[in-house]
Amino acid sequence: MTLLDTHLAHLAAALPPYRHCEPLLARWGAALAQRLTAGGRLLVAGNGGSAAEAQHLTAELVGKLRDDRQPLSAIALHAETSALTAIGNDYGYEEVFARQVRAHGRPDDVLLLLSTSGGSGNLLAAARAGREAGLRCWAFTGPAPNPLAGTCHEVLAVDSPDTQVVQELHLVSSHLLCEYVEQAMEAYVAQEVPAAPAAGPVRAGVEVVLEGGTDRSVQA
């Protein structure tokens, strides 16, 4: 078996259980669309490859995935390099995300944490800070149970022992989440389009005001 064959076999094994994630992604997409269009914010964080995927997700939301739409507030906490290094230097690496969550998060905002292991200390601290601040805490992880899954409100856990496969399906999840967000936004816009006002009586001719305030219609 070649490296490619082995990798594809691991990916194929993870796909059947992954199909069960669709209802969760659809529900998250609708909730996120509602929160972000109402002025809320998505905070995202990860380490290493998961950091890159988190930043990919925020780029799709602030920009667009497919069609033009309003920009949505989404911040990749690891991309705030000056804050990250300052916090790490002053408070330790486990606080690099948690302190930013306390700074930027507001009740009912969403915190999404990406971790293949589900055991990263800085993400666990961020999840605890998010819950204390009233944020909705979600996670993309590898196989559950794991510490991060147990700390967040909800988790999308990819059932694969292969870290690369977990990251690849996290990327698929990010794209699908954005698709569900945009789909929900289209539905909101359709609901908010005001109905055309009822047509009133049509008055023909030209109204002329004569001296003394008497109105007469002159037919065109």
Side-chain angles (χ1 to χ4, degrees), residues 8-22:
L8 291 179
H10 290 167
L11 181 59
L15 289 177
Y18 178 76
R19 288 182 179 275
H20 298 294
C21 296
E22 183 173 19

mmCIF file with all atom_site columns, all heavy atoms in Angstrom, residues 8-22:
data_model
loop_
_atom_site.group_PDB
_atom_site.id
_atom_site.type_symbol
_atom_site.label_atom_id
_atom_site.label_alt_id
_atom_site.label_comp_id
_atom_site.label_asym_id
_atom_site.label_entity_id
_atom_site.label_seq_id
_atom_site.pdbx_PDB_ins_code
_atom_site.Cartn_x
_atom_site.Cartn_y
_atom_site.Cartn_z
_atom_site.occupancy
_atom_site.B_iso_or_equiv
_atom_site.pdbx_formal_charge
_atom_site.auth_seq_id
_atom_site.auth_comp_id
_atom_site.auth_asym_id
_atom_site.auth_atom_id
_atom_site.pdbx_PDB_model_num
ATOM 1   N N   . LEU A 1 8  ? -5.851  7.751  1.980  1.00 0.00 ? 8  LEU A N   1
ATOM 2   C CA  . LEU A 1 8  ? -7.220  7.724  1.469  1.00 0.00 ? 8  LEU A CA  1
ATOM 3   C C   . LEU A 1 8  ? -8.066  6.682  2.207  1.00 0.00 ? 8  LEU A C   1
ATOM 4   O O   . LEU A 1 8  ? -9.269  6.889  2.424  1.00 0.00 ? 8  LEU A O   1
ATOM 5   C CB  . LEU A 1 8  ? -7.221  7.445  -0.029 1.00 0.00 ? 8  LEU A CB  1
ATOM 6   C CG  . LEU A 1 8  ? -6.659  8.564  -0.918 1.00 0.00 ? 8  LEU A CG  1
ATOM 7   C CD1 . LEU A 1 8  ? -6.686  8.154  -2.384 1.00 0.00 ? 8  LEU A CD1 1
ATOM 8   C CD2 . LEU A 1 8  ? -7.436  9.862  -0.722 1.00 0.00 ? 8  LEU A CD2 1
ATOM 9   N N   . ALA A 1 9  ? -7.448  5.584  2.611  1.00 0.00 ? 9  ALA A N   1
ATOM 10  C CA  . ALA A 1 9  ? -8.176  4.568  3.369  1.00 0.00 ? 9  ALA A CA  1
ATOM 11  C C   . ALA A 1 9  ? -8.611  5.126  4.726  1.00 0.00 ? 9  ALA A C   1
ATOM 12  O O   . ALA A 1 9  ? -9.750  4.896  5.170  1.00 0.00 ? 9  ALA A O   1
ATOM 13  C CB  . ALA A 1 9  ? -7.305  3.327  3.556  1.00 0.00 ? 9  ALA A CB  1
ATOM 14  N N   . HIS A 1 10 ? -7.725  5.884  5.393  1.00 0.00 ? 10 HIS A N   1
ATOM 15  C CA  . HIS A 1 10 ? -8.075  6.502  6.673  1.00 0.00 ? 10 HIS A CA  1
ATOM 16  C C   . HIS A 1 10 ? -9.188  7.544  6.491  1.00 0.00 ? 10 HIS A C   1
ATOM 17  O O   . HIS A 1 10 ? -10.109 7.637  7.314  1.00 0.00 ? 10 HIS A O   1
ATOM 18  C CB  . HIS A 1 10 ? -6.850  7.159  7.308  1.00 0.00 ? 10 HIS A CB  1
ATOM 19  C CG  . HIS A 1 10 ? -5.835  6.182  7.792  1.00 0.00 ? 10 HIS A CG  1
ATOM 20  N ND1 . HIS A 1 10 ? -4.556  6.541  8.164  1.00 0.00 ? 10 HIS A ND1 1
ATOM 21  C CD2 . HIS A 1 10 ? -5.896  4.835  7.978  1.00 0.00 ? 10 HIS A CD2 1
ATOM 22  C CE1 . HIS A 1 10 ? -3.892  5.485  8.555  1.00 0.00 ? 10 HIS A CE1 1
ATOM 23  N NE2 . HIS A 1 10 ? -4.676  4.429  8.441  1.00 0.00 ? 10 HIS A NE2 1
ATOM 24  N N   . LEU A 1 11 ? -9.078  8.315  5.405  1.00 0.00 ? 11 LEU A N   1
ATOM 25  C CA  . LEU A 1 11 ? -10.098 9.323  5.137  1.00 0.00 ? 11 LEU A CA  1
ATOM 26  C C   . LEU A 1 11 ? -11.443 8.666  4.844  1.00 0.00 ? 11 LEU A C   1
ATOM 27  O O   . LEU A 1 11 ? -12.496 9.096  5.358  1.00 0.00 ? 11 LEU A O   1
ATOM 28  C CB  . LEU A 1 11 ? -9.656  10.194 3.958  1.00 0.00 ? 11 LEU A CB  1
ATOM 29  C CG  . LEU A 1 11 ? -10.586 11.336 3.549  1.00 0.00 ? 11 LEU A CG  1
ATOM 30  C CD1 . LEU A 1 11 ? -10.802 12.298 4.711  1.00 0.00 ? 11 LEU A CD1 1
ATOM 31  C CD2 . LEU A 1 11 ? -10.009 12.077 2.342  1.00 0.00 ? 11 LEU A CD2 1
ATOM 32  N N   . ALA A 1 12 ? -11.421 7.602  4.047  1.00 0.00 ? 12 ALA A N   1
ATOM 33  C CA  . ALA A 1 12 ? -12.658 6.897  3.701  1.00 0.00 ? 12 ALA A CA  1
ATOM 34  C C   . ALA A 1 12 ? -13.316 6.310  4.951  1.00 0.00 ? 12 ALA A C   1
ATOM 35  O O   . ALA A 1 12 ? -14.553 6.316  5.080  1.00 0.00 ? 12 ALA A O   1
ATOM 36  C CB  . ALA A 1 12 ? -12.380 5.798  2.682  1.00 0.00 ? 12 ALA A CB  1
ATOM 37  N N   . ALA A 1 13 ? -12.511 5.827  5.885  1.00 0.00 ? 13 ALA A N   1
ATOM 38  C CA  . ALA A 1 13 ? -13.058 5.243  7.108  1.00 0.00 ? 13 ALA A CA  1
ATOM 39  C C   . ALA A 1 13 ? -13.734 6.292  7.979  1.00 0.00 ? 13 ALA A C   1
ATOM 40  O O   . ALA A 1 13 ? -14.682 5.991  8.712  1.00 0.00 ? 13 ALA A O   1
ATOM 41  C CB  . ALA A 1 13 ? -11.947 4.545  7.891  1.00 0.00 ? 13 ALA A CB  1
ATOM 42  N N   . ALA A 1 14 ? -13.257 7.537  7.895  1.00 0.00 ? 14 ALA A N   1
ATOM 43  C CA  . ALA A 1 14 ? -13.817 8.607  8.731  1.00 0.00 ? 14 ALA A CA  1
ATOM 44  C C   . ALA A 1 14 ? -15.068 9.231  8.130  1.00 0.00 ? 14 ALA A C   1
ATOM 45  O O   . ALA A 1 14 ? -15.829 9.902  8.846  1.00 0.00 ? 14 ALA A O   1
ATOM 46  C CB  . ALA A 1 14 ? -12.759 9.691  8.949  1.00 0.00 ? 14 ALA A CB  1
ATOM 47  N N   . LEU A 1 15 ? -15.312 9.036  6.844  1.00 0.00 ? 15 LEU A N   1
ATOM 48  C CA  . LEU A 1 15 ? -16.428 9.722  6.189  1.00 0.00 ? 15 LEU A CA  1
ATOM 49  C C   . LEU A 1 15 ? -17.814 9.243  6.631  1.00 0.00 ? 15 LEU A C   1
ATOM 50  O O   . LEU A 1 15 ? -18.705 10.083 6.851  1.00 0.00 ? 15 LEU A O   1
ATOM 51  C CB  . LEU A 1 15 ? -16.289 9.619  4.671  1.00 0.00 ? 15 LEU A CB  1
ATOM 52  C CG  . LEU A 1 15 ? -15.150 10.444 4.061  1.00 0.00 ? 15 LEU A CG  1
ATOM 53  C CD1 . LEU A 1 15 ? -15.071 10.213 2.554  1.00 0.00 ? 15 LEU A CD1 1
ATOM 54  C CD2 . LEU A 1 15 ? -15.340 11.930 4.355  1.00 0.00 ? 15 LEU A CD2 1
ATOM 55  N N   . PRO A 1 16 ? -18.080 7.936  6.761  1.00 0.00 ? 16 PRO A N   1
ATOM 56  C CA  . PRO A 1 16 ? -19.447 7.532  7.165  1.00 0.00 ? 16 PRO A CA  1
ATOM 57  C C   . PRO A 1 16 ? -19.885 8.132  8.494  1.00 0.00 ? 16 PRO A C   1
ATOM 58  O O   . PRO A 1 16 ? -20.989 8.703  8.566  1.00 0.00 ? 16 PRO A O   1
ATOM 59  C CB  . PRO A 1 16 ? -19.343 5.998  7.209  1.00 0.00 ? 16 PRO A CB  1
ATOM 60  C CG  . PRO A 1 16 ? -18.271 5.674  6.220  1.00 0.00 ? 16 PRO A CG  1
ATOM 61  C CD  . PRO A 1 16 ? -17.257 6.770  6.376  1.00 0.00 ? 16 PRO A CD  1
ATOM 62  N N   . PRO A 1 17 ? -19.079 8.075  9.572  1.00 0.00 ? 17 PRO A N   1
ATOM 63  C CA  . PRO A 1 17 ? -19.541 8.726  10.810 1.00 0.00 ? 17 PRO A CA  1
ATOM 64  C C   . PRO A 1 17 ? -19.614 10.242 10.685 1.00 0.00 ? 17 PRO A C   1
ATOM 65  O O   . PRO A 1 17 ? -20.441 10.887 11.348 1.00 0.00 ? 17 PRO A O   1
ATOM 66  C CB  . PRO A 1 17 ? -18.500 8.302  11.863 1.00 0.00 ? 17 PRO A CB  1
ATOM 67  C CG  . PRO A 1 17 ? -17.308 7.850  11.095 1.00 0.00 ? 17 PRO A CG  1
ATOM 68  C CD  . PRO A 1 17 ? -17.819 7.322  9.800  1.00 0.00 ? 17 PRO A CD  1
ATOM 69  N N   . TYR A 1 18 ? -18.767 10.825 9.826  1.00 0.00 ? 18 TYR A N   1
ATOM 70  C CA  . TYR A 1 18 ? -18.788 12.281 9.663  1.00 0.00 ? 18 TYR A CA  1
ATOM 71  C C   . TYR A 1 18 ? -20.107 12.762 9.071  1.00 0.00 ? 18 TYR A C   1
ATOM 72  O O   . TYR A 1 18 ? -20.551 13.888 9.353  1.00 0.00 ? 18 TYR A O   1
ATOM 73  C CB  . TYR A 1 18 ? -17.623 12.741 8.780  1.00 0.00 ? 18 TYR A CB  1
ATOM 74  C CG  . TYR A 1 18 ? -17.611 14.230 8.543  1.00 0.00 ? 18 TYR A CG  1
ATOM 75  C CD1 . TYR A 1 18 ? -17.195 15.113 9.538  1.00 0.00 ? 18 TYR A CD1 1
ATOM 76  C CD2 . TYR A 1 18 ? -18.044 14.762 7.330  1.00 0.00 ? 18 TYR A CD2 1
ATOM 77  C CE1 . TYR A 1 18 ? -17.201 16.480 9.343  1.00 0.00 ? 18 TYR A CE1 1
ATOM 78  C CE2 . TYR A 1 18 ? -18.059 16.130 7.122  1.00 0.00 ? 18 TYR A CE2 1
ATOM 79  C CZ  . TYR A 1 18 ? -17.633 16.981 8.125  1.00 0.00 ? 18 TYR A CZ  1
ATOM 80  O OH  . TYR A 1 18 ? -17.664 18.337 7.926  1.00 0.00 ? 18 TYR A OH  1
ATOM 81  N N   . ARG A 1 19 ? -20.764 11.948 8.275  1.00 0.00 ? 19 ARG A N   1
ATOM 82  C CA  . ARG A 1 19 ? -22.045 12.348 7.670  1.00 0.00 ? 19 ARG A CA  1
ATOM 83  C C   . ARG A 1 19 ? -23.086 12.726 8.729  1.00 0.00 ? 19 ARG A C   1
ATOM 84  O O   . ARG A 1 19 ? -23.989 13.511 8.463  1.00 0.00 ? 19 ARG A O   1
ATOM 85  C CB  . ARG A 1 19 ? -22.581 11.228 6.782  1.00 0.00 ? 19 ARG A CB  1
ATOM 86  C CG  . ARG A 1 19 ? -21.802 11.034 5.487  1.00 0.00 ? 19 ARG A CG  1
ATOM 87  C CD  . ARG A 1 19 ? -22.417 9.938  4.645  1.00 0.00 ? 19 ARG A CD  1
ATOM 88  N NE  . ARG A 1 19 ? -21.685 9.766  3.399  1.00 0.00 ? 19 ARG A NE  1
ATOM 89  C CZ  . ARG A 1 19 ? -21.896 10.476 2.293  1.00 0.00 ? 19 ARG A CZ  1
ATOM 90  N NH1 . ARG A 1 19 ? -22.845 11.409 2.287  1.00 0.00 ? 19 ARG A NH1 1
ATOM 91  N NH2 . ARG A 1 19 ? -21.194 10.268 1.201  1.00 0.00 ? 19 ARG A NH2 1
ATOM 92  N N   . HIS A 1 20 ? -22.951 12.180 9.913  1.00 0.00 ? 20 HIS A N   1
ATOM 93  C CA  . HIS A 1 20 ? -23.915 12.472 10.979 1.00 0.00 ? 20 HIS A CA  1
ATOM 94  C C   . HIS A 1 20 ? -23.727 13.883 11.542 1.00 0.00 ? 20 HIS A C   1
ATOM 95  O O   . HIS A 1 20 ? -24.547 14.330 12.363 1.00 0.00 ? 20 HIS A O   1
ATOM 96  C CB  . HIS A 1 20 ? -23.781 11.442 12.101 1.00 0.00 ? 20 HIS A CB  1
ATOM 97  C CG  . HIS A 1 20 ? -24.082 10.031 11.667 1.00 0.00 ? 20 HIS A CG  1
ATOM 98  N ND1 . HIS A 1 20 ? -25.342 9.631  11.255 1.00 0.00 ? 20 HIS A ND1 1
ATOM 99  C CD2 . HIS A 1 20 ? -23.290 8.937  11.560 1.00 0.00 ? 20 HIS A CD2 1
ATOM 100 C CE1 . HIS A 1 20 ? -25.315 8.348  10.921 1.00 0.00 ? 20 HIS A CE1 1
ATOM 101 N NE2 . HIS A 1 20 ? -24.079 7.903  11.097 1.00 0.00 ? 20 HIS A NE2 1
ATOM 102 N N   . CYS A 1 21 ? -22.680 14.596 11.115 1.00 0.00 ? 21 CYS A N   1
ATOM 103 C CA  . CYS A 1 21 ? -22.430 15.954 11.612 1.00 0.00 ? 21 CYS A CA  1
ATOM 104 C C   . CYS A 1 21 ? -23.278 17.007 10.905 1.00 0.00 ? 21 CYS A C   1
ATOM 105 O O   . CYS A 1 21 ? -23.333 18.148 11.358 1.00 0.00 ? 21 CYS A O   1
ATOM 106 C CB  . CYS A 1 21 ? -20.950 16.318 11.435 1.00 0.00 ? 21 CYS A CB  1
ATOM 107 S SG  . CYS A 1 21 ? -19.815 15.301 12.394 1.00 0.00 ? 21 CYS A SG  1
ATOM 108 N N   . GLU A 1 22 ? -23.934 16.630 9.817  1.00 0.00 ? 22 GLU A N   1
ATOM 109 C CA  . GLU A 1 22 ? -24.654 17.639 9.033  1.00 0.00 ? 22 GLU A CA  1
ATOM 110 C C   . GLU A 1 22 ? -25.726 18.382 9.820  1.00 0.00 ? 22 GLU A C   1
ATOM 111 O O   . GLU A 1 22 ? -25.786 19.617 9.763  1.00 0.00 ? 22 GLU A O   1
ATOM 112 C CB  . GLU A 1 22 ? -25.264 17.021 7.773  1.00 0.00 ? 22 GLU A CB  1
ATOM 113 C CG  . GLU A 1 22 ? -25.940 18.082 6.914  1.00 0.00 ? 22 GLU A CG  1
ATOM 114 C CD  . GLU A 1 22 ? -26.418 17.534 5.577  1.00 0.00 ? 22 GLU A CD  1
ATOM 115 O OE1 . GLU A 1 22 ? -26.548 16.303 5.455  1.00 0.00 ? 22 GLU A OE1 1
ATOM 116 O OE2 . GLU A 1 22 ? -26.666 18.350 4.674  1.00 0.00 ? 22 GLU A OE2 1
#
